[in-house]
Amino acid sequence: MHQTRSPAFSPTFTAHASMLFWALLVALSFFAAAEVNPGLDALPLTAVRLLLSGSLFLPFLLLRRPQRLGGRALIAHALLGGLLALYFGSLFEALKHTKALDTALLYVSVPLLTLGGERLLLGKPVLQRLWPTLVAALGALALLGLDNANFDAYAYGLYGIGCLAMALYGPLSQRLKPWLGEARGAASLACGNLLAGGLLLVLACTLGQRWEGLQGIAARDFGWLLYLALTATLATFWLLHRAIHWLPPATVIAYSYLSGLFALLLQSFWLHRAPAPLAWVGAMLIILGIAWLARLSPARAVAA
């Protein structure tokens, strides 16, 4: 008798469930990052964080049969790691000139830009997924409070380049899959990209003489850095690479809108402060947009 696999345990369903957990980890990282000494230079901190995250993958990968990386695989990791370095570098430079809220508002564009990256790099149809992504994006703008934004041309221009780099990360990783190796798993791919990004940031910090910004780092700061490396970097990039194996990159990145929703709920719970009515409207639009995207994914998986 032929047995069919239950949809509840299909790879597509598992990918969506893992991205819900991903969004929660990202939301928790906002609170953890706030515990790190703000006087420390964020750029070398991120270089250490990426290198630490990539290195933590290595023991698990060494338990399996090691895979030799060819020249094309190393070039692909350098390109993808460069996108990560460009994103984080532009973010921290932009935060010197504007508020975190303003960068969060600009990040809303990343899933929409990822749709463009899918169309350009992968040749995939994206119009059907554009509308639910726009709904979720409008919800995120309402949630964050667009009226509180302060436009800074330099910060927005610089971080806009970083957002474009992050938007291209998912589609380009799919386009370079033949270079990276079709059989390689999510842990191996994330490890290579994080290490490459970390090394590029180390080079930038060395050339810019930024390592002095870590003077005075305490054990408590390193503890929070280790937590961020484990949960908000290692786990999130592993989950992201697992998900884009089954879901379109733009759908995966759209779950970042839920991170803002989770952060709002966590903040409301800890601070006992009720969100504004507009925030609840934004939350409902985010849930509607993500549910709409999830509804479209099974059809896409069958078509693929």
Side-chain angles (χ1 to χ4, degrees):
M1 180 177 178
H2 178 70
Q3 292 182 342
T4 57
R5 195 174 190 180
S6 170
F9 298 99
S10 68
T12 302
F13 175 86
T14 304
H16 282 294
S18 67
M19 289 312 294
L20 284 173
F21 184 53
W22 176 90
L24 179 60
L25 287 177
V26 172
L28 288 170
S29 73
F30 297 150
F31 299 93
E35 296 295 328
V36 180
N37 181 1
L40 299 172
D41 192 333
L43 195 63
L45 271 178
T46 304
V48 174
R49 173 178 163 182
L50 293 184
L51 286 178
L52 185 59
S53 299
S55 301
L56 289 171
F57 273 117
L58 292 176
F60 300 100
L61 296 178
L62 292 176
L63 292 176
R64 304 179 180 180
R65 185 178 178 180
Q67 293 178 309
R68 176 176 291 183
L69 299 182
R72 292 201 305 175
L74 294 176
I75 292 173
H77 280 305
L79 289 172
L80 294 168
L83 292 178
L84 294 180
L86 182 58
Y87 170 74
F88 285 113
S90 66
L91 171 61
F92 294 128
E93 179 62 27
L95 286 173
K96 296 179 181 178
H97 304 274
T98 190
K99 297 182 300 182
L101 171 65
D102 301 315
T103 58
L105 286 169
L106 194 54
Y107 188 84
V108 170
S109 67
V110 171
L112 295 168
L113 291 171
T114 306
L115 283 172
E118 279 190 42
R119 188 74 184 113
L120 180 65
L121 296 175
L122 303 177
K124 292 183 178 180
V126 299
L127 187 59
Q128 190 181 28
R129 288 178 285 128
L130 175 61
W131 310 117
T133 306
L134 280 172
V135 170
L138 289 173
L141 291 176
L143 187 73
L144 292 167
L146 186 59
D147 56 328
N148 294 323
N150 294 310
F151 180 79
D152 182 277
Y154 173 75
Y156 269 55
L158 184 64
Y159 186 53
I161 296 174
C163 286
L164 180 60
M166 181 55 71
L168 292 174
Y169 179 83
L172 188 60
S173 67
Q174 292 297 91
R175 181 63 183 267
L176 295 177
K177 191 73 172 175
W179 288 25
L180 293 163
E182 296 286 351
R184 291 180 62 193
S188 177
L189 295 173
C191 174
N193 295 340
L194 289 171
L195 288 177
L199 288 172
L200 288 171
L201 286 177
V202 165
L203 178 61
C205 291
T206 302
L207 293 176
Q209 299 181 340
R210 300 283 290 269
W211 291 109
E212 294 180 357
L214 292 184
Q215 290 181 354
I217 186 171
R220 180 177 181 274
D221 298 317
F222 188 79
W224 282 112
L225 187 64
L226 180 61
Y227 169 82
L228 288 168
L230 278 169
T231 60
T233 313
L234 183 151
T236 55
F237 275 91
W238 176 66
L239 290 170
L240 184 146
H241 277 279
R242 285 190 66 202
I244 61 176
H245 184 72
W246 300 104
L247 301 174
T251 300
V252 172
I253 298 299
Y255 273 88
S256 59
Y257 296 142
L258 279 179
S259 298
L261 174 58
F262 286 150
L264 176 73
L265 294 175
L266 289 169
Q267 181 175 276
S268 301
F269 176 76
W270 276 325
L271 300 181
H272 304 288
R273 184 187 304 165
L278 184 61
W280 287 116
V281 173
M284 295 306 298
L285 287 174
I286 291 173
I287 293 172
L288 174 62
I290 297 298
W292 191 353
L293 282 171
R295 181 69 181 85
L296 292 175
S297 352
R300 175 229 172 237
V302 172

